[in-house]
Structure formats: structure tokens, C-alpha cells
Amino acid sequence: MMSGLIHHIEFNVSNLSHSIHFWGWFLEKLGYEPFQEWTEGKSYRLGDTYIVFVQTREKYLNHPYHRCGTGLNHLAFHADSRQEVDEITNELIKRRVKILYMDKHPFAGGDDYYAVYFEDPDRMKIELVAPPLK
């Protein structure tokens, strides 16, 4: 059944090459593959879902995004395990990506919610969540 599943998500980004550098490794680590590429954009696909990044047109670049303002707050992805969350966290640290709520990491969402929260180059919050322990 496909009804209700996400078809695709599209982001306008302030710097396409920075966003592709940031998102590409992460999405590929989660199993996404490069899908489409053109001068102003690139997409990655996993199954029937794809994520698109498009260079923001110049006239809109002076309208910065912030997750606490109007618009999309964050994206949350499933991880296969706590180990995957830890591996991604270590890679984020090596890449000098801002990790949010580090003082409570990896339980910033609660004692039974194992996740890493971080920001992309445009300050979009991203979450990678491990499955609950059984």
C-alpha cells in the first residue's frame, strides 16, 4: 500500500554544493542512492521515496531559514540500531557538524529515545533515531 507514504521532499538550499557535501554522505549511509542531477539540483532515492536539493534563486537568498520560524522544523530518520546512531554521531563530529543538545546526548528526547540531533548548512534540524529496545 502506497497511500500516505512520502513520495518526495524538496529543499531549496542557500548553497547547493555545501548541501550536497553535507547531505550526500549521510543519505548514502542510510541507503539512499544518487537519483537525478542537474545544474540547479540533485536528488537521492531510497525505494519509492526521494529527497531533492535545489539551489535557492538569488532573489530569495536574503530570507534565511531557521527551524524555529515558520516552515519545516526538522526531519527525523530511522536508524537500524543504537550502534548506527553512534557511528553517525562520530562521523558528524569528525565533519565538525553542529550536534544539538550535546549535554543530553544521546537521550535528549527522553530516557527511552536514543537519537542524535544535528543541523545542516542552512540550520535545518535533522534527527536520527534508533529503534526502541525490546
Side-chain angles (χ1 to χ4, degrees):
M1 175 178 262
M2 298 291 289
S3 181
L5 297 178
I6 293 173
H7 185 272
H8 74 276
I9 299 168
E10 184 168 317
F11 294 102
N12 287 343
V13 296
S14 65
N15 184 308
L16 182 61
S17 63
H18 286 148
S19 291
I20 295 305
H21 177 76
F22 175 86
W23 282 96
W25 75 270
F26 175 66
L27 291 174
E28 289 178 24
K29 182 86 171 164
L30 295 179
Y32 284 78
E33 296 179 351
F35 178 42
Q36 301 163 316
E37 188 167 3
W38 62 104
T39 306
E40 298 86 22
K42 185 168 183 173
S43 66
Y44 295 83
R45 180 173 62 183
L46 178 63
D48 293 320
T49 299
Y50 61 99
I51 299 176
V52 183
F53 302 93
V54 178
Q55 176 62 53
T56 300
R57 289 183 276 162
E58 180 119 12
K59 71 180 188 176
Y60 295 110
L61 282 175
N62 292 326
H63 301 276
Y65 168 82
H66 192 280
R67 69 182 177 277
C68 295
T70 301
L72 186 62
N73 178 276
H74 72 277
L75 291 175
F77 294 88
H78 287 282
D80 285 333
S81 64
R82 288 182 173 199
Q83 179 181 344
E84 185 177 25
V85 169
D86 294 341
E87 289 170 2
I88 294 288
T89 300
N90 289 335
E91 183 67 24
L92 292 166
I93 290 167
K94 283 190 339 192
R95 291 173 176 265
R96 297 188 174 128
V97 172
K98 181 176 182 179
I99 297 180
L100 304 170
Y101 324 122
M102 196 61 173
D103 59 327
K104 298 178 184 176
H105 175 76
F107 295 104
D111 292 340
D112 58 350
Y113 196 81
Y114 198 95
V116 60
Y117 301 81
F118 54 102
E119 288 184 336
D120 86 347
D122 286 316
R123 302 202 62 209
M124 166 71 66
K125 182 167 81 170
I126 306 154
E127 189 176 334
L128 183 64
V129 185
L133 294 177
K134 296 179 182 185

mmCIF file of all heavy atoms in Angstrom, residues 3-19:
data_model
loop_
_atom_site.group_PDB
_atom_site.id
_atom_site.type_symbol
_atom_site.label_atom_id
_atom_site.label_comp_id
_atom_site.label_asym_id
_atom_site.label_seq_id
_atom_site.Cartn_x
_atom_site.Cartn_y
_atom_site.Cartn_z
ATOM 1 N N SER A 3 -0.510 4.524 -0.254
ATOM 2 C CA SER A 3 -1.259 5.676 0.247
ATOM 3 C C SER A 3 -0.710 6.147 1.585
ATOM 4 O O SER A 3 -0.553 5.372 2.519
ATOM 5 C CB SER A 3 -2.738 5.303 0.397
ATOM 6 O OG SER A 3 -3.466 6.394 0.860
ATOM 7 N N GLY A 4 -0.349 7.418 1.672
ATOM 8 C CA GLY A 4 0.142 8.011 2.908
ATOM 9 C C GLY A 4 1.645 8.052 3.054
ATOM 10 O O GLY A 4 2.165 8.803 3.872
ATOM 11 N N LEU A 5 2.380 7.252 2.270
ATOM 12 C CA LEU A 5 3.835 7.278 2.348
ATOM 13 C C LEU A 5 4.368 8.522 1.640
ATOM 14 O O LEU A 5 3.763 9.008 0.690
ATOM 15 C CB LEU A 5 4.441 6.031 1.711
ATOM 16 C CG LEU A 5 4.092 4.701 2.380
ATOM 17 C CD1 LEU A 5 4.734 3.550 1.610
ATOM 18 C CD2 LEU A 5 4.547 4.687 3.823
ATOM 19 N N ILE A 6 5.501 9.018 2.080
ATOM 20 C CA ILE A 6 6.087 10.198 1.454
ATOM 21 C C ILE A 6 6.594 9.847 0.057
ATOM 22 O O ILE A 6 7.320 8.863 -0.115
ATOM 23 C CB ILE A 6 7.234 10.765 2.315
ATOM 24 C CG1 ILE A 6 6.679 11.305 3.626
ATOM 25 C CG2 ILE A 6 7.999 11.844 1.553
ATOM 26 C CD1 ILE A 6 7.741 11.734 4.598
ATOM 27 N N HIS A 7 6.214 10.639 -0.924
ATOM 28 C CA HIS A 7 6.700 10.476 -2.297
ATOM 29 C C HIS A 7 8.073 11.124 -2.439
ATOM 30 O O HIS A 7 9.028 10.489 -2.854
ATOM 31 C CB HIS A 7 5.706 11.111 -3.275
ATOM 32 C CG HIS A 7 6.059 10.900 -4.707
ATOM 33 N ND1 HIS A 7 6.883 11.762 -5.393
ATOM 34 C CD2 HIS A 7 5.705 9.922 -5.564
ATOM 35 C CE1 HIS A 7 7.014 11.331 -6.633
ATOM 36 N NE2 HIS A 7 6.309 10.213 -6.766
ATOM 37 N N HIS A 8 8.167 12.411 -2.089
ATOM 38 C CA HIS A 8 9.458 13.089 -2.080
ATOM 39 C C HIS A 8 9.400 14.328 -1.207
ATOM 40 O O HIS A 8 8.336 14.812 -0.873
ATOM 41 C CB HIS A 8 9.935 13.441 -3.497
ATOM 42 C CG HIS A 8 9.209 14.571 -4.135
ATOM 43 N ND1 HIS A 8 8.008 14.399 -4.803
ATOM 44 C CD2 HIS A 8 9.495 15.888 -4.211
ATOM 45 C CE1 HIS A 8 7.604 15.567 -5.273
ATOM 46 N NE2 HIS A 8 8.489 16.493 -4.915
ATOM 47 N N ILE A 9 10.577 14.803 -0.834
ATOM 48 C CA ILE A 9 10.745 16.041 -0.073
ATOM 49 C C ILE A 9 11.714 16.893 -0.878
ATOM 50 O O ILE A 9 12.730 16.383 -1.367
ATOM 51 C CB ILE A 9 11.333 15.757 1.327
ATOM 52 C CG1 ILE A 9 10.394 14.858 2.131
ATOM 53 C CG2 ILE A 9 11.609 17.060 2.066
ATOM 54 C CD1 ILE A 9 11.012 14.297 3.393
ATOM 55 N N GLU A 10 11.406 18.166 -1.023
ATOM 56 C CA GLU A 10 12.297 19.053 -1.767
ATOM 57 C C GLU A 10 12.710 20.220 -0.889
ATOM 58 O O GLU A 10 11.878 20.843 -0.238
ATOM 59 C CB GLU A 10 11.598 19.577 -3.022
ATOM 60 C CG GLU A 10 12.503 20.424 -3.882
ATOM 61 C CD GLU A 10 11.900 20.706 -5.248
ATOM 62 O OE1 GLU A 10 11.339 19.774 -5.856
ATOM 63 O OE2 GLU A 10 12.004 21.855 -5.691
ATOM 64 N N PHE A 11 14.013 20.496 -0.887
ATOM 65 C CA PHE A 11 14.578 21.614 -0.142
ATOM 66 C C PHE A 11 15.163 22.627 -1.102
ATOM 67 O O PHE A 11 15.905 22.256 -2.021
ATOM 68 C CB PHE A 11 15.753 21.151 0.747
ATOM 69 C CG PHE A 11 15.374 20.239 1.858
ATOM 70 C CD1 PHE A 11 15.610 18.888 1.751
ATOM 71 C CD2 PHE A 11 14.805 20.741 3.009
ATOM 72 C CE1 PHE A 11 15.276 18.034 2.786
ATOM 73 C CE2 PHE A 11 14.481 19.902 4.043
ATOM 74 C CZ PHE A 11 14.704 18.544 3.934
ATOM 75 N N ASN A 12 14.869 23.891 -0.886
ATOM 76 C CA ASN A 12 15.640 24.954 -1.512
ATOM 77 C C ASN A 12 16.774 25.249 -0.544
ATOM 78 O O ASN A 12 16.541 25.432 0.652
ATOM 79 C CB ASN A 12 14.791 26.207 -1.719
ATOM 80 C CG ASN A 12 13.804 26.035 -2.840
ATOM 81 O OD1 ASN A 12 13.938 25.141 -3.667
ATOM 82 N ND2 ASN A 12 12.815 26.884 -2.884
ATOM 83 N N VAL A 13 17.998 25.282 -1.044
ATOM 84 C CA VAL A 13 19.170 25.450 -0.187
ATOM 85 C C VAL A 13 19.974 26.678 -0.610
ATOM 86 O O VAL A 13 19.978 27.060 -1.774
ATOM 87 C CB VAL A 13 20.057 24.184 -0.200
ATOM 88 C CG1 VAL A 13 19.302 22.997 0.396
ATOM 89 C CG2 VAL A 13 20.539 23.848 -1.605
ATOM 90 N N SER A 14 20.669 27.277 0.349
ATOM 91 C CA SER A 14 21.397 28.514 0.073
ATOM 92 C C SER A 14 22.675 28.275 -0.728
ATOM 93 O O SER A 14 23.133 29.157 -1.441
ATOM 94 C CB SER A 14 21.724 29.243 1.382
ATOM 95 O OG SER A 14 22.608 28.465 2.165
ATOM 96 N N ASN A 15 23.282 27.093 -0.609
ATOM 97 C CA ASN A 15 24.498 26.778 -1.333
ATOM 98 C C ASN A 15 24.446 25.300 -1.698
ATOM 99 O O ASN A 15 24.686 24.439 -0.847
ATOM 100 C CB ASN A 15 25.731 27.092 -0.478
ATOM 101 C CG ASN A 15 27.023 26.878 -1.222
ATOM 102 O OD1 ASN A 15 27.253 25.823 -1.806
ATOM 103 N ND2 ASN A 15 27.886 27.878 -1.199
ATOM 104 N N LEU A 16 24.117 25.018 -2.937
ATOM 105 C CA LEU A 16 23.893 23.641 -3.368
ATOM 106 C C LEU A 16 25.101 22.746 -3.102
ATOM 107 O O LEU A 16 24.943 21.643 -2.570
ATOM 108 C CB LEU A 16 23.513 23.603 -4.852
ATOM 109 C CG LEU A 16 23.194 22.220 -5.417
ATOM 110 C CD1 LEU A 16 21.998 21.598 -4.706
ATOM 111 C CD2 LEU A 16 22.942 22.315 -6.915
ATOM 112 N N SER A 17 26.311 23.204 -3.423
ATOM 113 C CA SER A 17 27.476 22.330 -3.234
ATOM 114 C C SER A 17 27.709 22.022 -1.760
ATOM 115 O O SER A 17 28.043 20.884 -1.407
ATOM 116 C CB SER A 17 28.732 22.919 -3.878
ATOM 117 O OG SER A 17 29.084 24.128 -3.278
ATOM 118 N N HIS A 18 27.514 22.998 -0.858
ATOM 119 C CA HIS A 18 27.656 22.732 0.580
ATOM 120 C C HIS A 18 26.600 21.733 1.051
ATOM 121 O O HIS A 18 26.891 20.833 1.844
ATOM 122 C CB HIS A 18 27.541 24.018 1.400
ATOM 123 C CG HIS A 18 28.737 24.887 1.304
ATOM 124 N ND1 HIS A 18 28.663 26.254 1.383
ATOM 125 C CD2 HIS A 18 30.053 24.601 1.137
ATOM 126 C CE1 HIS A 18 29.861 26.767 1.253
ATOM 127 N NE2 HIS A 18 30.730 25.784 1.098
ATOM 128 N N SER A 19 25.378 21.904 0.576
ATOM 129 C CA SER A 19 24.300 20.999 0.997
ATOM 130 C C SER A 19 24.526 19.584 0.486
ATOM 131 O O SER A 19 24.311 18.616 1.217
ATOM 132 C CB SER A 19 22.949 21.529 0.527
ATOM 133 O OG SER A 19 22.632 22.702 1.240
#
